[in-house]
Amino acid sequence: MPDNKAVVYQGPGKVSVEETPYPEFEVKDGPGVNPANVGRKVQHGVIVKTIATNICGSDQHMVRGRTTAPVGLTLGHEITGEVVETGRDVEFIKVGDLVSVPFNIACGRCRNCKEGKTDVCENVNPDRAGSAYGYVDMGGWVGGQAKYVLVPYADWNLLKFPDRDQAMEKILDLAMLSDIFPTGFHGCVSAKVGPGSTVYIAGAGPVGLAAACSAFLLGAAVVIVGDLNKERLAQARSFGCETVDVSAGDPKDQIEQILGVPEVDCAVDAVGFEARGHGREAQQERPATVLNTLMDVARAGGALGIPGLYVTGDPGAADEAARHGSLSIRIGLGWSKSHSFVTGQCPVMRYHRRLMMAILHDRVQIAKAVNATPIPLEDAPRGYAEFDHGAARKYVLDPHGMLAAA
């Protein structure tokens, strides 16, 4: 049996790479595992040898100590790999297949899955609808920042790449399919981005950059990205975005300088609950700032896509209400402007295959847009630290050296 290593949360600000058990076709007890899931048989699953597994901003929220994630939790929900074992009940996925793993874990059988709402599957997390690998309060499925990982309901969840050689040539782009590319795309679809749209995207981290790339793919005329990190704003400009430095003041004024009017057709929140203020408050946490700004700059009758993460429990929040997920948003403003809002996890499978085809047929260069940067699994602590300090990169862990070889 091969050895296994994984990235493990060791408390606020600290991760380490540890020896961990090789996966079995059964959910074992461990940090963060829901007791009702312990002993669950997973003969519908496969073992994946991880080719690429990415560090996500959602992981960073946990590592900063901004969630109730337990020490010892194996991290990682953005997984691309090769199938090396199949469970007894797997019919269509075969050993040797190269696959993308949606970060949502879904059974394919419940009402929500049958309606395409794989982000809120009812059968994989005993506490609430919706699940993910290596994430707090998501059922306890072991994370994929590891050499090997168990993937349940494989015939339903996995997206097989049609040609191995072609996939390995584009593997960095394809590694973005497990989360940030569909998530950014979902934010834009939710905001009703289309041909000729003007779009404001709050946040120039990897999801914000993926959303900007998606907006162009959907035909947007002007894509404006707002952030206070100058290196990340430069990355946004590198593929044609206009930018707004929110530390310089109200985005609305800067949007007017770009467009001639202080509003956009569509707005996307790619920041979430650790949002900072604008202008003189740019170094202070103001968790409702982005949502209120989007309502301010989106035109009447416009739409807001909100793929940025918001939580029900934030022990590090600046005030008591925010610790329980309550924010002072200007819902009256959104109501008066007849805005529509779409929140929640991206249902990855809704977009998965189409975005794969866009990559394989050279319609998009998502890895270049987000500055995907491969590093060895052992360098994960460095990747987390640099990402936390604002590096304009999407760190991709390479557990077996296959990215370097490619």
Side-chain angles (χ1 to χ4, degrees):
M1 185 177 293
D3 68 308
N4 198 18
K5 290 184 178 181
V7 180
V8 177
Y9 173 59
Q10 300 291 6
K14 186 177 180 182
V15 300
S16 62
V17 180
E18 305 287 339
E19 298 281 347
T20 56
Y22 185 82
E24 299 180 35
F25 293 106
E26 180 180 327
V27 178
K28 304 291 187 179
D29 197 9
V33 178
N34 191 299
N37 264 350
V38 174
R40 186 170 181 165
K41 304 301 181 184
V42 193
Q43 289 297 332
H44 45 66
V46 300
I47 309 299
V48 170
K49 176 182 178 181
T50 306
I51 295 174
T53 178
N54 314 333
I55 296 175
C56 180
S58 299
D59 299 320
Q60 199 67 266
H61 292 306
M62 289 189 291
V63 173
R64 288 184 186 129
R66 297 299 296 269
T67 72
T68 55
V71 170
L73 183 72
T74 296
L75 300 169
H77 56 270
E78 301 190 16
I79 308 160
T80 308
E82 178 183 3
V83 176
V84 293
E85 291 186 50
T86 61
R88 180 194 61 226
D89 300 331
V90 176
E91 185 175 0
F92 303 112
I93 293 292
K94 305 299 182 186
V95 170
D97 287 346
L98 294 192
V99 294
S100 178
V101 183
F103 79 90
N104 326 107
I105 301 173
C107 71
R109 296 153 167 80
C110 70
R111 174 181 176 178
N112 282 341
C113 283
K114 290 179 179 180
E115 293 177 357
K117 301 170 185 173
T118 56
D119 53 316
V120 281
C121 173
E122 298 173 328
N123 288 332
V124 287
N125 182 357
D127 282 339
R128 63 179 68 133
S131 189
Y133 304 88
Y135 211 83
V136 59
D137 296 332
M138 286 291 186
W141 299 91
V142 175
Q145 288 175 10
K147 296 176 74 174
Y148 298 92
V149 63
L150 171 68
V151 175
Y153 301 104
D155 283 327
W156 168 251
N157 280 304
L158 293 178
L159 175 68
K160 176 184 173 182
F161 302 140
D163 181 89
R164 184 186 183 93
D165 292 338
Q166 183 189 29
M168 289 307 296
E169 287 176 6
K170 297 179 180 293
I171 194 65
L172 266 186
D173 291 286
L174 294 170
M176 302 302 118
L177 285 172
S178 57
D179 182 353
I180 65 163
F181 192 13
T183 293
F185 194 84
H186 178 61
C188 289
V189 170
S190 301
K192 302 180 182 178
V193 177
S197 296
T198 58
V199 187
Y200 176 65
I201 296 168
V207 170
L209 295 173
C213 189
S214 298
F216 284 125
L217 188 61
L218 288 164
V222 182
V223 178
I224 305 169
V225 178
D227 205 298
L228 48 77
N229 182 313
K230 291 178 172 52
E231 185 181 358
R232 288 180 172 180
L233 290 174
Q235 180 64 25
R237 288 192 294 273
S238 74
F239 60 96
C241 300
E242 301 286 345
T243 57
V244 161
D245 183 348
V246 300
S247 68
D250 193 330
K252 193 171 186 176
D253 298 332
Q254 298 176 65
I255 288 170
E256 184 171 19
Q257 293 174 15
I258 295 167
L259 296 176
V261 293
E263 64 179 20
V264 293
D265 299 322
C266 315
V268 177
D269 174 1
V271 179
F273 74 102
E274 286 193 67
R276 304 280 171 173
H278 296 153
R280 287 177 294 180
E281 296 186 337
Q283 297 308 316
Q284 301 173 42
E285 213 170 274
R286 296 286 186 268
T289 296
V290 169
L291 292 172
N292 289 330
T293 295
L294 296 196
M295 287 186 280
D296 194 29
V297 303
R299 69 176 181 85
L304 280 59
I306 309 174
L309 175 67
Y310 289 88
V311 294
T312 56
D314 175 10
D319 60 68
E320 185 60 28
R323 290 189 184 98
H324 303 283
S326 295
L327 308 181
S328 298
I329 63 170
R330 298 179 63 193
I331 190 65
L333 175 61
W335 188 93
S336 68
K337 296 177 78 172
S338 194
H339 285 156
S340 63
F341 301 73
V342 176
T343 65
Q345 294 181 30
C346 165
V348 170
M349 292 175 70
R350 189 177 299 174
Y351 312 105
H352 216 184
R353 185 181 183 278
R354 286 182 287 167
L355 294 180
M356 176 190 74
M357 295 299 286
I359 290 170
L360 294 178
H361 293 277
D362 300 315
R363 304 305 301 171
V364 65
Q365 292 182 302
I366 185 65
K368 183 178 180 181
V370 303
N371 197 16
T373 304
I375 60 174
L377 182 69
E378 288 71 22
D379 285 355
R382 173 177 67 85
Y384 269 95
E386 292 180 2
F387 188 40
D388 191 43
H389 284 91
R393 299 177 181 275
K394 175 68 172 177
Y395 285 103
V396 182
L397 303 178
D398 185 7
H400 295 276
M402 295 176 75
L403 297 178

Coordinates of all heavy atoms in Angstrom, one line a residue, residues 257-331:
Q257 N -15.2 57.3 -13.4 CA -14.0 57.7 -14.2 C -13.8 56.8 -15.3 O -13.3 57.2 -16.4 CB -12.8 57.8 -13.3 CG -12.9 59.0 -12.2 CD -11.7 58.9 -11.3 OE1 -10.7 58.3 -11.6 NE2 -11.8 59.6 -10.2
I258 N -14.0 55.5 -15.1 CA -13.8 54.5 -16.2 C -14.9 54.5 -17.2 O -14.7 54.5 -18.4 CB -13.6 53.1 -15.6 CG1 -12.4 53.1 -14.7 CG2 -13.6 52.0 -16.6 CD1 -12.3 51.8 -13.8
L259 N -16.2 54.5 -16.7 CA -17.3 54.3 -17.6 C -18.1 55.6 -18.0 O -18.9 55.5 -18.9 CB -18.3 53.3 -16.9 CG -17.8 51.9 -16.7 CD1 -18.9 51.1 -15.9 CD2 -17.5 51.2 -18.0
G260 N -17.8 56.6 -17.3 CA -18.6 57.9 -17.5 C -19.9 57.9 -16.7 O -20.5 58.9 -16.7
V261 N -20.3 56.8 -16.1 CA -21.4 56.7 -15.2 C -21.0 55.9 -14.0 O -20.1 55.1 -14.0 CB -22.6 56.0 -15.9 CG1 -23.2 56.9 -17.0 CG2 -22.2 54.6 -16.4
P262 N -21.6 56.2 -12.8 CA -21.2 55.6 -11.5 C -21.9 54.3 -11.3 O -22.1 53.9 -10.1 CB -21.6 56.7 -10.5 CG -22.8 57.3 -11.1 CD -22.6 57.3 -12.6
E263 N -22.2 53.5 -12.3 CA -22.9 52.2 -12.1 C -22.5 51.2 -13.1 O -22.0 51.6 -14.2 CB -24.4 52.5 -12.1 CG -24.9 52.9 -13.4 CD -26.5 53.1 -13.3 OE1 -27.0 53.2 -12.2 OE2 -27.1 53.1 -14.4
V264 N -22.7 50.0 -12.8 CA -22.5 48.9 -13.7 C -23.7 48.0 -13.9 O -24.7 48.1 -13.1 CB -21.3 48.0 -13.2 CG1 -20.0 48.7 -13.3 CG2 -21.6 47.4 -11.8
D265 N -23.7 47.2 -14.9 CA -24.9 46.3 -15.2 C -24.9 45.1 -14.2 O -26.0 44.7 -13.8 CB -24.8 45.7 -16.6 CG -24.9 46.8 -17.7 OD1 -25.6 47.8 -17.5 OD2 -24.1 46.7 -18.7
C266 N -23.7 44.7 -13.8 CA -23.6 43.4 -13.1 C -22.5 43.5 -12.0 O -21.5 44.2 -12.2 CB -23.2 42.3 -14.0 SG -24.1 42.2 -15.6
A267 N -22.7 42.9 -10.9 CA -21.7 43.0 -9.8 C -21.5 41.6 -9.1 O -22.5 40.9 -8.9 CB -22.2 44.0 -8.8
V268 N -20.2 41.3 -8.8 CA -19.9 40.0 -8.2 C -19.1 40.3 -6.9 O -18.1 41.0 -6.9 CB -19.1 39.2 -9.2 CG1 -18.6 37.9 -8.6 CG2 -19.9 39.0 -10.5
D269 N -19.4 39.6 -5.9 CA -18.7 39.6 -4.6 C -17.8 38.4 -4.6 O -18.2 37.3 -4.4 CB -19.6 39.6 -3.4 CG -18.9 39.5 -2.1 OD1 -17.7 39.4 -2.0 OD2 -19.6 39.4 -1.0
A270 N -16.5 38.6 -4.7 CA -15.5 37.5 -4.7 C -14.6 37.7 -3.4 O -13.4 37.3 -3.4 CB -14.6 37.5 -5.9
V271 N -15.1 38.4 -2.4 CA -14.4 38.7 -1.2 C -14.9 37.8 0.0 O -14.2 37.0 0.6 CB -14.4 40.2 -0.8 CG1 -13.6 40.4 0.5 CG2 -13.8 41.0 -2.0
G272 N -16.2 38.0 0.4 CA -16.7 37.3 1.5 C -16.6 38.0 2.8 O -16.4 39.2 2.9
F273 N -16.6 37.2 3.9 CA -16.8 37.8 5.2 C -15.6 38.4 5.8 O -15.8 39.1 6.9 CB -17.4 36.7 6.1 CG -16.4 35.7 6.6 CD1 -15.8 35.7 7.9 CD2 -16.0 34.6 5.8 CE1 -14.9 34.8 8.3 CE2 -15.1 33.6 6.2 CZ -14.6 33.7 7.5
E274 N -14.4 38.3 5.3 CA -13.3 39.0 5.8 C -13.0 40.3 5.0 O -11.9 40.8 4.9 CB -12.0 38.1 5.8 CG -12.1 37.1 6.9 CD -10.7 36.4 7.1 OE1 -9.8 37.0 7.5 OE2 -10.6 35.2 6.7
A275 N -14.1 40.9 4.5 CA -13.9 42.2 3.7 C -13.4 43.3 4.6 O -13.6 43.4 5.8 CB -15.3 42.6 3.2
R276 N -12.6 44.2 3.9 CA -12.1 45.4 4.5 C -12.9 46.6 4.0 O -13.7 46.5 3.0 CB -10.6 45.6 4.0 CG -9.7 44.5 4.4 CD -9.3 44.5 5.8 NE -8.5 43.3 6.2 CZ -7.9 43.2 7.3 NH1 -8.0 44.2 8.2 NH2 -7.3 42.0 7.6
G277 N -12.7 47.7 4.7 CA -13.4 48.9 4.3 C -12.8 49.6 3.1 O -11.8 49.0 2.5
H278 N -13.3 50.7 2.7 CA -12.8 51.4 1.6 C -12.2 52.8 2.1 O -12.6 53.3 3.1 CB -13.9 51.7 0.6 CG -14.4 50.4 -0.1 ND1 -15.7 50.3 -0.5 CD2 -13.9 49.2 -0.2 CE1 -15.9 49.1 -1.0 NE2 -14.8 48.4 -0.8
G279 N -11.3 53.3 1.3 CA -10.7 54.6 1.6 C -9.9 54.5 2.9 O -9.1 53.7 3.1
R280 N -10.2 55.4 3.8 CA -9.5 55.5 5.1 C -9.8 54.3 6.0 O -9.1 54.1 7.0 CB -10.0 56.8 5.9 CG -9.4 58.1 5.3 CD -9.9 59.3 6.0 NE -11.4 59.5 5.8 CZ -12.0 60.5 6.3 NH1 -11.4 61.4 7.1 NH2 -13.4 60.6 6.1
E281 N -10.8 53.5 5.7 CA -11.1 52.3 6.5 C -10.6 51.0 5.8 O -10.9 49.9 6.2 CB -12.6 52.2 6.6 CG -13.2 53.3 7.5 CD -14.7 53.0 7.7 OE1 -15.3 52.3 7.0 OE2 -15.2 53.6 8.7
A282 N -9.7 51.2 4.8 CA -9.2 50.1 4.0 C -8.4 49.0 4.9 O -8.3 47.9 4.5 CB -8.4 50.5 2.9
Q283 N -7.9 49.4 6.0 CA -7.1 48.4 6.8 C -8.0 47.9 7.9 O -7.5 47.1 8.8 CB -5.9 49.1 7.4 CG -4.9 49.5 6.3 CD -4.5 48.4 5.3 OE1 -4.3 47.3 5.7 NE2 -4.5 48.7 4.0
Q284 N -9.2 48.3 8.0 CA -10.1 47.8 9.0 C -11.1 46.8 8.5 O -11.6 47.0 7.3 CB -10.9 49.0 9.7 CG -10.0 50.0 10.3 CD -10.7 51.3 10.7 OE1 -11.8 51.1 11.3 NE2 -10.2 52.4 10.5
E285 N -11.5 45.8 9.3 CA -12.4 44.8 8.8 C -13.8 45.4 8.9 O -14.3 45.9 9.9 CB -12.4 43.6 9.6 CG -12.7 42.3 8.8 CD -12.3 41.0 9.6 OE1 -11.2 40.6 9.5 OE2 -13.3 40.5 10.2
R286 N -14.5 45.4 7.7 CA -15.9 45.8 7.6 C -16.6 44.8 6.8 O -16.8 44.9 5.6 CB -15.9 47.2 6.9 CG -15.3 48.3 7.7 CD -16.1 48.7 8.9 NE -15.6 49.9 9.6 CZ -14.8 49.9 10.6 NH1 -14.4 48.7 11.1 NH2 -14.3 51.0 11.2
P287 N -17.1 43.7 7.4 CA -17.6 42.6 6.7 C -18.8 42.8 5.7 O -19.0 42.1 4.8 CB -18.0 41.6 7.7 CG -18.1 42.4 9.0 CD -17.2 43.5 8.9
A288 N -19.6 43.9 6.0 CA -20.7 44.2 5.1 C -20.4 45.2 4.0 O -21.2 45.5 3.1 CB -21.9 44.8 5.9
T289 N -19.1 45.6 3.9 CA -18.7 46.7 3.0 C -19.0 46.3 1.5 O -19.6 47.0 0.7 CB -17.3 47.1 3.2 OG1 -17.1 47.7 4.5 CG2 -16.8 48.1 2.1
V290 N -18.5 45.1 1.2 CA -18.6 44.7 -0.2 C -20.1 44.5 -0.7 O -20.5 45.0 -1.7 CB -17.8 43.4 -0.5 CG1 -18.1 42.8 -1.8 CG2 -16.3 43.6 -0.3
L291 N -20.9 43.9 0.1 CA -22.3 43.7 -0.2 C -23.0 45.0 -0.4 O -23.7 45.3 -1.3 CB -23.0 42.9 0.8 CG -22.6 41.4 0.9 CD1 -23.2 40.7 2.2 CD2 -22.9 40.6 -0.3
N292 N -22.7 46.0 0.5 CA -23.3 47.3 0.4 C -22.8 48.1 -0.8 O -23.6 48.8 -1.5 CB -23.1 48.1 1.7 CG -23.9 47.5 2.9 OD1 -25.0 47.0 2.7 ND2 -23.4 47.7 4.1
T293 N -21.5 47.9 -1.1 CA -21.0 48.6 -2.3 C -21.6 48.0 -3.6 O -21.9 48.8 -4.5 CB -19.5 48.4 -2.3 OG1 -18.9 49.1 -1.2 CG2 -18.9 49.0 -3.6
L294 N -21.8 46.7 -3.6 CA -22.3 46.1 -4.8 C -23.8 46.7 -5.1 O -24.1 46.9 -6.2 CB -22.3 44.6 -4.8 CG -21.0 43.9 -4.7 CD1 -21.2 42.4 -5.0 CD2 -20.0 44.5 -5.6
M295 N -24.5 46.8 -4.0 CA -25.9 47.3 -4.2 C -25.8 48.8 -4.6 O -26.7 49.3 -5.3 CB -26.7 47.2 -2.9 CG -27.1 45.7 -2.6 SD -28.2 45.6 -1.1 CE -27.0 45.7 0.2
D296 N -24.8 49.5 -4.2 CA -24.7 50.9 -4.5 C -24.3 51.1 -6.0 O -24.8 52.0 -6.7 CB -23.6 51.5 -3.6 CG -23.6 53.1 -3.7 OD1 -24.7 53.7 -3.9 OD2 -22.5 53.7 -3.5
V297 N -23.4 50.2 -6.5 CA -22.9 50.5 -7.9 C -23.7 49.7 -8.9 O -23.6 50.0 -10.1 CB -21.4 50.1 -8.0 CG1 -20.6 50.9 -7.0 CG2 -21.2 48.6 -7.8
A298 N -24.5 48.7 -8.5 CA -25.2 48.0 -9.5 C -26.5 48.8 -9.9 O -27.1 49.3 -9.1 CB -25.7 46.6 -9.0
R299 N -26.8 48.8 -11.2 CA -27.9 49.6 -11.7 C -29.2 49.1 -11.1 O -29.3 47.9 -10.8 CB -27.9 49.6 -13.2 CG -28.3 48.3 -13.8 CD -28.4 48.4 -15.3 NE -28.7 47.1 -15.9 CZ -30.0 46.7 -16.1 NH1 -31.0 47.4 -15.6 NH2 -30.2 45.5 -16.6
A300 N -30.2 49.9 -11.2 CA -31.6 49.4 -10.8 C -32.0 48.3 -11.8 O -31.8 48.4 -13.0 CB -32.5 50.6 -10.9
G301 N -32.5 47.3 -11.2 CA -32.9 46.1 -12.0 C -31.7 45.2 -12.3 O -31.9 44.2 -13.0
G302 N -30.5 45.5 -11.7 CA -29.3 44.6 -11.9 C -29.3 43.4 -11.0 O -30.3 43.2 -10.2
A303 N -28.3 42.6 -11.1 CA -28.2 41.4 -10.3 C -26.8 41.3 -9.6 O -25.8 41.9 -10.2 CB -28.4 40.2 -11.2
L304 N -26.8 40.6 -8.5 CA -25.5 40.4 -7.7 C -25.3 39.0 -7.6 O -26.1 38.2 -7.2 CB -25.7 41.0 -6.3 CG -25.5 42.5 -6.1 CD1 -26.5 43.4 -6.9 CD2 -25.6 42.9 -4.6
G305 N -24.1 38.6 -8.0 CA -23.6 37.2 -7.8 C -22.7 37.2 -6.6 O -21.8 38.1 -6.5
I306 N -22.9 36.3 -5.6 CA -22.2 36.4 -4.3 C -21.5 35.0 -4.1 O -22.0 34.3 -3.2 CB -23.1 36.8 -3.2 CG1 -23.9 38.1 -3.6 CG2 -22.3 37.1 -1.9 CD1 -25.0 38.5 -2.6
P307 N -20.5 34.7 -4.8 CA -19.8 33.4 -4.5 C -18.8 33.6 -3.4 O -18.3 32.6 -2.9 CB -19.0 33.1 -5.8 CG -18.8 34.5 -6.4 CD -20.0 35.3 -6.0
G308 N -18.5 34.8 -2.9 CA -17.6 35.0 -1.8 C -18.2 34.3 -0.5 O -19.4 34.3 -0.3
L309 N -17.4 33.7 0.3 CA -17.8 32.9 1.4 C -18.3 33.7 2.6 O -17.6 34.7 3.0 CB -16.6 32.0 1.9 CG -16.8 31.2 3.1 CD1 -17.9 30.1 2.9 CD2 -15.5 30.6 3.6
Y310 N -19.5 33.4 3.1 CA -20.0 33.9 4.3 C -20.3 32.7 5.3 O -20.7 31.7 4.8 CB -21.2 34.8 4.1 CG -20.9 36.1 3.4 CD1 -20.8 36.2 2.0 CD2 -20.5 37.2 4.2 CE1 -20.4 37.3 1.4 CE2 -20.1 38.4 3.6 CZ -20.1 38.5 2.2 OH -19.7 39.6 1.6
V311 N -20.1 32.9 6.6 CA -20.2 31.8 7.5 C -21.2 32.1 8.6 O -21.5 33.3 8.9 CB -18.8 31.5 8.1 CG1 -17.8 31.0 7.1 CG2 -18.3 32.8 8.9
T312 N -21.7 31.1 9.3 CA -22.6 31.2 10.4 C -21.9 31.4 11.7 O -22.5 31.8 12.7 CB -23.5 30.1 10.5 OG1 -22.8 28.8 10.6 CG2 -24.4 30.0 9.2
G313 N -20.6 31.1 11.7 CA -19.8 31.2 12.9 C -18.4 31.7 12.6 O -17.6 31.1 11.9
D314 N -18.0 32.9 13.2 CA -16.7 33.5 12.9 C -16.1 34.0 14.2 O -16.4 35.1 14.7 CB -16.9 34.7 12.0 CG -15.6 35.4 11.8 OD1 -14.5 35.0 12.2 OD2 -15.6 36.6 11.2
P315 N -15.4 33.1 14.9 CA -14.9 33.5 16.3 C -13.9 34.7 16.3 O -13.7 35.3 17.3 CB -14.1 32.2 16.7 CG -13.9 31.4 15.5 CD -15.0 31.8 14.5
G316 N -13.4 35.1 15.1 CA -12.5 36.2 15.0 C -13.1 37.5 14.6 O -12.4 38.5 14.3
A317 N -14.4 37.5 14.5 CA -15.1 38.7 13.9 C -14.9 39.9 14.8 O -14.7 39.8 16.0 CB -16.6 38.4 13.8
A318 N -15.1 41.1 14.2 CA -14.9 42.4 14.9 C -16.0 42.7 15.9 O -15.8 43.5 16.8 CB -14.7 43.5 13.9
D319 N -17.2 42.2 15.7 CA -18.3 42.5 16.6 C -19.1 41.2 16.9 O -19.0 40.2 16.1 CB -19.2 43.6 16.1 CG -19.8 43.3 14.7 OD1 -20.7 42.4 14.7 OD2 -19.4 43.9 13.7
E320 N -20.0 41.3 17.9 CA -20.7 40.1 18.3 C -21.7 39.6 17.3 O -21.8 38.4 17.0 CB -21.5 40.4 19.6 CG -22.2 39.2 20.2 CD -21.3 38.1 20.6 OE1 -20.1 38.4 20.9 OE2 -21.8 36.9 20.6
A321 N -22.3 40.5 16.5 CA -23.3 40.1 15.5 C -22.6 39.3 14.4 O -23.0 38.2 14.0 CB -24.0 41.3 14.9
A322 N -21.4 39.8 14.0 CA -20.7 39.2 12.9 C -20.2 37.8 13.3 O -20.0 36.9 12.4 CB -19.5 40.1 12.4
R323 N -19.9 37.6 14.6 CA -19.5 36.3 15.1 C -20.5 35.2 14.8 O -20.2 34.0 14.7 CB -19.2 36.3 16.6 CG -17.9 37.1 16.9 CD -17.5 37.0 18.4 NE -16.4 37.8 18.7 CZ -16.5 39.0 19.3 NH1 -17.7 39.5 19.6 NH2 -15.5 39.8 19.5
H324 N -21.8 35.6 14.6 CA -22.8 34.7 14.3 C -23.4 34.8 12.9 O -24.5 34.4 12.5 CB -24.0 34.9 15.3 CG -23.5 34.7 16.7 ND1 -23.3 33.5 17.3 CD2 -23.2 35.6 17.7 CE1 -22.9 33.6 18.5 NE2 -22.8 34.9 18.8
G325 N -22.6 35.5 12.0 CA -23.0 35.7 10.6 C -24.0 36.7 10.3 O -24.5 36.8 9.2
S326 N -24.2 37.7 11.3 CA -25.2 38.8 11.1 C -24.4 40.0 10.7 O -23.6 40.5 11.4 CB -26.0 39.0 12.4 OG -26.8 37.9 12.7
L327 N -24.7 40.6 9.5 CA -24.1 41.7 9.0 C -25.1 42.9 8.8 O -26.2 42.6 8.5 CB -23.4 41.4 7.7 CG -22.4 40.2 7.7 CD1 -21.8 40.0 6.3 CD2 -21.4 40.3 8.7
S328 N -24.6 44.1 8.8 CA -25.5 45.3 8.6 C -25.5 45.6 7.2 O -24.9 46.6 6.7 CB -24.9 46.4 9.5 OG -25.0 46.1 10.8
I329 N -26.2 44.8 6.4 CA -26.3 45.1 5.0 C -27.6 46.0 4.7 O -28.6 45.9 5.4 CB -26.4 43.8 4.1 CG1 -27.7 43.0 4.5 CG2 -25.2 43.0 4.3 CD1 -27.9 41.8 3.5
R330 N -27.5 46.8 3.7 CA -28.5 47.8 3.3 C -29.6 47.1 2.4 O -29.7 47.4 1.3 CB -27.9 49.0 2.7 CG -26.9 49.7 3.5 CD -26.3 50.9 2.8 NE -27.4 51.9 2.4 CZ -27.2 52.9 1.6 NH1 -26.0 53.1 1.0 NH2 -28.2 53.7 1.3
I331 N -30.3 46.2 3.0 CA -31.3 45.4 2.2 C -32.3 46.3 1.6 O -32.8 46.1 0.5 CB -31.9 44.3 3.1 CG1 -32.7 43.4 2.2 CG2 -32.7 44.9 4.2 CD1 -31.9 42.6 1.2

